[in-house]
Amino acid sequence: MIRQIEDMFFLEGKGFSYVMRVSREGYLLHDWFGKRIAPVPYPEDERGWWCVQTEGEDGVCLDELRQEYPGYGHTDLRRPAVSCGPAGLVLKYAEHKISAGKPRLSGLPSALGDGAETLTVTLRDADMKVRVDLNYTVYEDYGVICRSAVITNEGESELTLDRAYSASIELPRRDLNEIHLHGSWGRERHIVENPLVPGVADISNARGGSGHQINPFITVKDPAATEESGFCLGVMPVYSGNHSTEIEVDQRGRTRINSGINPFMFEKKLRPDESFTAPECLLAVADGLGELSRSFHDFIRDRICRGKFAHSERPILINNWEATYMDFDEEKLLSIAKLAAELGIELFVLDDGWFGKRNNDRCSLGDWVVNRDKLPSGIGGLAKKINALGLKFGLWFEPEMVSPDSDLYRAHPDWAVRSGVRAPGLGRTQLVLDLSRPEVQDYVISAVNSVLDSANIEYVKWDMNRYITDMPRKGFNHEYTLGYYRVMDAIVSSHPNVLFEGCSAGGGRFDAGVLCYMPQIWTSDDTDPMERVYIQYGTSLAYPPSTMGSHVTDGPNQYTRRPVSMKTRGDVALSGNFGYELDITKLPESDLEAIKAQTALCREIRATVEYGDFYRLSDPFKNNVGGWMSVEKDKSRAYVTLTKMLFRPNSWYTHIRLKGLEPSAEYRDKFTGRTYMGDMLMNRGLLVSFPHGDFATLSFLLQRNH
Ligand code: DGJ
């Protein structure tokens, strides 16, 4: 619900109010984003005494005001949301409108607008002739507000934007911590929490995609906030390129958060009448980290993910990558697929190595033509044979790349991204195609579409295995990202029956932008369950289990050499989109029996895991046990997974209190047959004892007795 009352705007979503006011001088000020407050106007805060060293014509020092979308350079000298040169921007309220639904953002992915209402407030700098339209979208059923900004040059000469964040929000306090998701290849999205101190924290990435290192999601929280309670504010730009969230604690102890495109190496020249649309940014406030995550999870599942697969149970897959790498032929693939079908697996995915002369990673990217030496009946023939075994067929692509040793590169060497100053750096012996160019986008669209249209392909893994370096100009990364979105949109929208999974050397591009096209993403190349406990726990802060690809691979794990039982490998992987990535034809009978049981269990629990409410129970970054559970929305069933990292003789008992159950209901654990009352499990909890040895898991499948 959105109301304008006097000089104030009251916006309400599920459980929160977002309040702005137009100051007596005409500035749009942020007033409140938090728990619901009555939509009744109240007086503007007192402006304290300040040592005025800058003051505008109206006697106002903007440095003192909490502006909704601040410029820099006139009387506000803090980090701005928007900037177009040293003269600065002074934006004042011009007009507003309230409309049903939500505007589409030109060329950018954004949340679906069903059931939404949008306030658009127009600000203007009359001297600079700049107009900014700020969009605020709220939904009655979601605890998330969507913001975006469209900046228009209303002058007669060219204007250069050098920063254009999507949203800015200024809190009147400084006693806060920030959490972000940090990592590297194979160690994505570990939780890092730091106290905010006066100065600027820049939580950003400039590696071309959203990145393994810093995920585009941050939380600002009360230092004492826990999973269950305390102020938490989450910020998530819907963006897959270089992003930044800048947090400035100023001289007066206020905290300004700007989030969106990373201004480093960004620039956009605007001709007269031209507009620039900054990506959407999702914001949510909650009482506790658990509630914050559940708000983002619900929103991502219902309003970011779209299409046929957004709400469908995801198929159990087997991918041949870690089974064969590029050394396979049709016979080998079919032997895996045949056994997979007998074990209850539903989808066979052919990974890298099926095209050109790709027998190693030094060639052929760009040549999306099947290698008949390996696959004599082509992709179409292989798909038919796989389908005949009762499995769906899926295929890997890495369409944004080109190998210097490829027919595509030999024909179009100028299509690779290069600075023009020196030869571009290679990454995994490959170059990046310049997706800022429409003809390159068109090539990628038609190359991928023609393979997809040639066979019964029901799943695509879309990979991207290097950073983008040697960029030709400032602003290029955003142009590339827009090109990537155009390509994704064209391919995904023309193949509504194909399930797409994003990937970037594991989880190097895990963000809400990608999720607008592909409802699931390969979480990490590191499938060691002990590593995955950290990765999946950290990822869950922002993203629901339905988005996380999670597979059982060989033991000992190929990267860590850690020997972990098939049971533990299965239990950890069952907390996401479940699958396998190993040569099952070489496994002993006992492992095959375990796989049969796991696929049967997956079918039983996947609706709960993928679409239930997610609760974190024990933080592996702080304890020897990582724990979480998913509870169906109607509380009829819950699946709990606890993983003990190391065995320690006579160590602390693990006391786990479950969450999200119906207090007065009786639940039966399917694995042990024991029954418990919901309130007992949530209040008293359970003292659990793990099996002997390192890396052990315990799980419960609780079914409510009626
Ligand atoms: C990186 C991915 O993360 C892997 O799963 C695999 O698809 C390889 N690329 C193939 O090159």
Side-chain angles (χ1 to χ4, degrees):
M1 175 72 132
I2 298 176
R3 297 181 188 87
Q4 184 237 327
I5 308 175
E6 298 172 8
D7 55 357
M8 299 186 74
F9 297 105
F10 292 91
L11 291 76
E12 286 169 354
K14 187 178 167 196
F16 72 84
S17 296
Y18 190 107
V19 184
M20 292 173 270
R21 70 167 73 236
V22 180
S23 79
R24 51 188 179 267
E25 303 86 0
Y27 299 105
L28 183 68
L29 304 185
H30 181 68
D31 202 282
W32 172 246
F33 182 29
K35 284 189 176 161
R36 278 273 177 101
I37 56 175
V40 177
Y42 47 90
E44 200 177 323
D45 284 335
E46 293 294 320
R47 299 183 191 170
W49 178 90
W50 62 84
C51 172
V52 180
Q53 297 191 11
T54 51
E55 184 176 303
E57 279 169 21
D58 48 14
V60 171
C61 176
L62 287 171
D63 229 12
E64 294 297 320
L65 299 184
R66 294 198 282 145
Q67 294 179 85
E68 271 293 317
Y69 198 67
Y72 164 86
H74 182 52
T75 68
D76 189 337
L77 300 170
R78 293 171 290 167
R79 294 293 177 99
V82 56
S83 153
C84 50
L89 274 178
V90 180
L91 293 162
K92 284 195 168 181
Y93 169 85
E95 61 196 16
H96 74 272
K97 72 169 192 268
I98 297 172
S99 44
K102 183 167 181 289
R104 281 184 73 98
L105 301 185
S106 154
L108 286 159
S110 59
L112 299 167
D114 335 9
E117 210 183 351
T118 299
L119 167 69
T120 304
V121 187
T122 301
L123 310 178
R124 269 208 177 85
D125 181 327
D127 301 313
M128 286 293 287
K129 310 246 178 324
V130 169
R131 164 190 171 133
V132 176
D133 292 295
L134 298 177
N135 296 311
Y136 299 82
T137 300
V138 288
Y139 305 72
E140 210 177 307
D141 297 335
Y142 298 98
V144 167
I145 180 167
C146 308
R147 286 189 56 179
S148 59
V150 182
I151 300 147
T152 305
N153 177 5
E154 295 190 322
E156 271 149 29
S157 45
E158 190 176 78
L159 186 82
T160 304
L161 275 179
D162 51 49
R163 61 167 58 202
Y165 277 110
S166 306
S168 179
I169 195 152
E170 194 167 318
L171 306 174
R173 55 185 284 198
R174 68 182 161 82
D175 54 327
L176 293 162
N177 284 6
E178 65 84 11
I179 295 182
H180 64 272
L181 302 175
H182 172 264
S184 65
W185 173 86
R187 193 172 49 77
E188 294 90 336
R189 290 173 299 285
H190 281 212
I191 294 177
V192 178
E193 178 162 353
N194 294 306
L196 292 176
V197 293
V200 181
D202 182 12
I203 320 293
S204 67
N205 185 51
R207 288 170 183 261
S210 49
H212 298 92
Q213 292 72 15
I214 305 275
N215 188 262
F217 174 75
I218 65 113
T219 301
V220 166
K221 67 183 270 282
D222 192 295
T226 62
E227 279 293 317
E228 288 78 30
S229 66
F231 169 77
C232 297
L233 163 69
V235 183
M236 179 186 283
V238 182
Y239 194 54
S240 314
N242 290 342
H243 58 89
S244 145
T245 298
E246 195 178 60
I247 310 175
E248 176 166 9
V249 177
D250 73 10
Q251 58 183 338
R252 305 281 275 186
R254 292 158 311 179
T255 300
R256 175 183 283 178
I257 305 163
N258 297 322
S259 187
I261 296 176
N262 190 346
F264 175 65
M265 291 295 154
F266 170 78
E267 175 179 279
K268 172 70 188 165
K269 294 197 190 304
L270 288 181
R271 293 182 303 274
D273 283 333
E274 198 184 355
S275 297
F276 177 78
T277 305
E280 184 159 84
C281 186
L282 313 178
L283 299 132
V285 280
D287 194 18
L289 289 167
E291 186 183 302
L292 187 76
S293 298
R294 286 186 291 281
S295 278
F296 276 101
H297 291 187
D298 283 345
F299 193 78
I300 286 171
R301 280 188 297 232
D302 296 351
R303 289 292 175 271
I304 291 292
C305 298
R306 58 204 67 190
K308 174 171 165 180
F309 299 97
H311 292 104
S312 64
E313 292 179 22
R314 306 293 166 76
I316 304 170
L317 67 78
I318 185 155
N319 177 307
N320 74 309
W321 179 241
E322 292 196 20
T324 64
Y325 295 99
M326 297 183 201
D327 182 15
F328 57 81
D329 56 21
E330 191 179 272
E331 195 188 336
K332 177 69 200 168
L333 300 180
L334 290 173
S335 70
I336 295 176
K338 182 169 177 302
L339 183 55
E342 286 161 19
L343 298 177
I345 292 167
E346 299 159 334
L347 162 68
F348 177 87
V349 179
L350 173 55
D351 209 281
D352 196 353
W354 58 266
F355 50 92
K357 50 185 175 64
R358 190 147 165 106
N359 295 317
N360 57 56
D361 63 11
R362 295 188 296 282
C363 69
S364 298
L365 290 171
D367 299 343
W368 300 107
V369 176
V370 69
N371 178 335
R372 295 259 169 193
D373 293 338
K374 287 180 178 177
L375 303 173
S377 49
I379 291 296
L382 176 65
K384 271 196 196 128
K385 291 177 193 175
I386 299 275
N387 290 162
L389 294 169
L391 294 173
K392 294 176 192 298
F393 176 73
L395 196 60
W396 177 98
F397 290 88
E398 193 179 359
E400 297 162 73
M401 299 291 145
V402 62
S403 305
D405 180 6
S406 66
D407 293 342
L408 180 67
Y409 187 77
R410 282 183 280 274
H412 298 284
D414 58 312
W415 281 9
V417 173
R418 61 181 79 240
S419 65
V421 173
R422 63 180 68 81
L426 294 170
R428 208 193 188 200
T429 343
Q430 63 202 47
L431 296 167
V432 182
L433 284 174
D434 184 350
L435 285 196
S436 72
R437 293 169 61 173
E439 68 275 29
V440 182
Q441 298 163 15
D442 290 344
Y443 167 78
V444 171
I445 293 167
S446 90
V448 175
N449 276 352
S450 67
V451 179
L452 293 186
D453 297 339
S454 72
N456 188 25
I457 297 168
E458 296 182 77
Y459 163 103
V460 164
K461 177 174 174 188
W462 185 291
D463 206 347
M464 195 256 201
N465 279 306
R466 60 158 291 174
Y467 303 124
I468 307 180
T469 61
D470 305 282
M471 303 196 207
R473 57 191 170 273
K474 277 188 168 181
F476 173 81
N477 183 250
H478 184 61
E479 294 168 28
Y480 177 94
T481 307
L482 292 178
Y484 162 67
Y485 289 146
R486 184 185 157 231
V487 166
M488 288 315 310
D489 188 46
I491 295 173
V492 170
S493 61
S494 57
H495 294 90
N497 294 322
V498 176
L499 169 61
F500 285 80
E501 174 155 351
C503 176
S504 176
R509 196 161 57 180
F510 205 121
D511 60 72
V514 168
L515 290 169
C516 286
Y517 305 100
M518 310 193 250
Q520 60 188 59
I521 301 177
W522 181 226
T523 313
S524 176
D525 277 341
D526 192 342
T527 48
D528 175 330
M530 295 304 109
E531 299 300 312
R532 276 302 188 105
V533 169
Y534 297 106
I535 295 168
Q536 292 173 202
Y537 189 94
T539 305
S540 80
L541 208 57
Y543 306 97
S546 62
T547 62
M548 295 184 216
S550 183
H551 301 169
V552 172
T553 56
D554 240 336
N557 181 270
Q558 62 156 355
Y559 297 120
T560 63
R561 309 309 305 158
R562 197 175 276 142
V564 180
S565 70
M566 183 54 114
K567 173 175 173 1
T568 294
R569 279 180 274 153
D571 283 350
V572 174
L574 279 161
S575 300
N577 295 320
F578 189 58
Y580 293 88
E581 212 162 307
L582 74 172
D583 189 349
I584 49 174
T585 64
K586 295 192 177 136
L587 294 181
E589 197 52 38
S590 57
D591 279 353
L592 298 182
E593 285 307 313
I595 292 179
K596 252 190 216 159
Q598 286 165 353
T599 57
L601 178 60
C602 176
R603 266 186 283 281
E604 193 171 351
I605 62 168
R606 66 183 155 189
T608 312
V609 168
E610 290 163 10
Y611 300 108
D613 285 330
F614 186 82
Y615 293 86
R616 286 177 294 270
L617 303 176
S618 178
D619 182 348
F621 295 97
K622 296 183 181 146
N623 308 310
N624 193 24
V625 172
W628 52 63
M629 67 188 285
S630 293
V631 185
E632 274 195 22
K633 293 274 177 196
D634 68 0
K635 301 187 184 295
S636 61
R637 170 195 268 261
Y639 183 64
V640 184
T641 308
L642 308 173
T643 310
K644 186 186 59 182
M645 313 310 275
L646 290 177
F647 180 77
R648 298 204 172 107
N650 281 336
S651 71
W652 316 119
Y653 273 110
T654 300
H655 181 208
I656 293 287
R657 287 191 294 172
L658 303 190
K659 299 179 188 173
L661 302 172
E662 192 178 313
S664 58
E666 186 183 68
Y667 289 88
R668 179 171 181 278
D669 175 22
K670 187 164 178 200
F671 299 139
T672 59
R674 291 187 191 136
T675 55
Y676 307 91
M677 290 306 291
D679 52 6
M680 176 285 200
L681 288 170
M682 293 194 292
N683 298 327
R684 174 194 179 272
L686 298 173
L687 274 185
V688 296
S689 171
F690 285 89
H692 207 114
D694 291 339
F695 324 135
T697 47
L698 271 181
S699 43
F700 304 86
L701 176 51
L702 300 169
Q703 180 73 48
R704 187 175 59 196
N705 285 335
H706 293 285

